[in-house]
Amino acid sequence: MTCLLPALAGANTLYGAGMLELGMTFSMEQLVIDNDIIKMTKKAMQGIPVSTETLAVESIQKVGIGNNFLALKQTRLLVNYPSDPMLIDRRMFGDWAAAGSKDLAAAANEKVMDVLKHHEVPPIDADILKDMKAVVDRADRTFREG
């Protein structure tokens, strides 16, 4: 298997996640949407695998020009491979509509509400907390003396 070089090579900073209005407003929904985009960008930067399976040459030949390649099972199995989004819904329109036609903003809001309700922050290890306190105490002493 070969990997094509990612088109986004060299990007090392992603800025503004969750920001609206030039950073004057912050939206948790925008943050989870941006997180999806950032995750997809990072996945693309890993490179796109090129193999017999991902090229699907036989499937393309079988379907032919002008026909529905997207309806093939192989396409549906691989559609999320390059990016694997958490929120972006790639179902066929009829399936998406039958499931309630939830738009991206509604999906983002549901994710935000779920995180706010269920996420638990793991406690900081006592040794690390002690070291952090020592750093702060040292900085406080330096500030008072200086």
Side-chain angles (χ1 to χ4, degrees), residues 37-124:
I37 294 167
I38 291 166
K39 182 180 166 191
M40 291 187 299
T41 301
K42 289 173 82 174
K43 180 84 171 174
M45 289 180 72
Q46 292 173 1
I48 309 294
V50 178
S51 67
T52 304
E53 180 188 21
T54 59
L55 287 175
V57 174
E58 287 181 25
S59 295
I60 293 169
Q61 290 170 338
K62 182 174 134 185
V63 171
I65 296 171
N67 294 313
N68 189 354
F69 181 71
L70 295 175
L72 285 180
K73 182 179 181 181
Q74 184 177 14
T75 303
R76 291 192 310 274
L77 293 173
L78 295 173
V79 71
N80 285 330
Y81 187 84
S83 59
D84 192 26
M86 176 178 57
L87 296 175
I88 296 170
D89 192 334
R90 293 196 172 137
R91 288 180 285 185
M92 298 300 286
F93 183 81
D95 296 335
W96 171 78
S101 309
K102 189 186 319 174
D103 64 21
L104 185 58
N109 180 260
E110 283 182 10
K111 180 64 178 174
V112 167
M113 293 299 124
D114 180 62
V115 168
L116 290 174
K117 185 174 181 180
H118 297 107
H119 182 72
E120 291 185 31
V121 178
I124 298 174

Side-chain angles (χ1 to χ4, degrees), residues 14-20 23 25-38:
L14 296 169
Y15 171 77
M19 290 185 188
L20 301 173
T25 303
F26 184 84
S27 164
M28 289 189 282
E29 288 80 6
Q30 186 64 53
L31 179 62
V32 295
I33 292 168
D34 291 344
N35 182 62
D36 233 16
I37 294 167
I38 291 166

